Each structure stands twice: as C-alpha cells, then as structure tokens.
Amino acid sequence: MTLALLVAISTMWLAVGLLFLGKGEAKGTGAICGLVGAVVVVGAILQAAVFKDGFTAGLLFAHGLLYCAVAYALLAGLEDLRSVGNASLMAAIVSAIYMILFFTGGTAADGSVLIGKSN
C-alpha cells in the first residue's frame, strides 16, 4: 500500500518540478496534486484502519495535507505562497521526528515496540 502511494507522490512531484521549469500549466498540475493529496490522505486512513499501522499512517497523513495545500495554491493562483511554506515547514518537522524515531527505534507508552531500529 505504501509503495503505491510513494509512486503516486513521485509522479506528482515530477509534474510540479516540470511546472516550475516552465513545462506545464498550474491548473492541470494543481489537479494532479489534489488527486494525489486525496489519495494519500485516504491511503493513510486505510493504513491505520486496515493494516493497523498508525505509525506510518501519521507520516502519510501529514504529507497528504501538504499536497492538498500545494493543490489549492496552484488551483487558486495564489501569489503569496507563505501558507504553502508553513505547511511545508510542518511536514518537515514531522518528517524530522519520524527520521529520529526510525534511526533510534521507538517504544509506546506501555513499553511495546512501536517501530524497530532501522540502520
């Protein structure tokens, strides 16, 4: 499930990158971002509910909201992109916390292993 979401996310960022290089238009790229953002948010909910992996679901959900913010900015034609920057900062902070937990491992409040250490 997560691998399929990562493929969708990578294709979205390719379209955004090409837009910033002048090879695309904002409305179509915004639609792509909106669809990928919605799929990632729904995928995060499924990851938590069906696959019982709330840890990964939290990371997916935070990034899905970022993609929805990027989609809104592109579709609305915002000139001031500070709101997207704020959403990006939030996603960066969440990602940094997850990175530390993946490197060091983490335990839940009851002492069970939340995520194993990843070298």
Side-chain angles (χ1 to χ4, degrees), residues 32-47:
I32 293 169
C33 291
L35 290 172
V36 170
V39 165
V40 170
V41 168
V42 169
I45 293 169
L46 289 174
Q47 189 78 22

Side-chain angles (χ1 to χ4, degrees), residues 30-119:
I32 293 169
C33 291
L35 290 172
V36 170
V39 165
V40 170
V41 168
V42 169
I45 293 169
L46 289 174
Q47 189 78 22
V50 175
F51 298 106
K52 306 291 186 225
D53 184 13
F55 189 75
T56 305
L59 186 61
L60 287 171
F61 192 79
H63 284 82
L65 293 179
L66 169 64
Y67 307 149
C68 290
V70 171
Y72 175 75
L74 291 174
L75 290 172
L78 295 181
E79 295 290 327
D80 186 9
L81 296 177
R82 284 184 284 186
S83 60
V84 176
N86 292 337
S88 297
L89 178 62
M90 180 272 310
I93 291 170
V94 169
S95 295
I97 292 168
Y98 270 80
M99 178 191 66
I100 292 168
L101 287 173
F102 276 121
F103 282 150
T104 62
T107 58
D110 62 355
S112 63
V113 175
L114 181 64
I115 185 77
K117 183 177 177 181
S118 175
N119 292 327

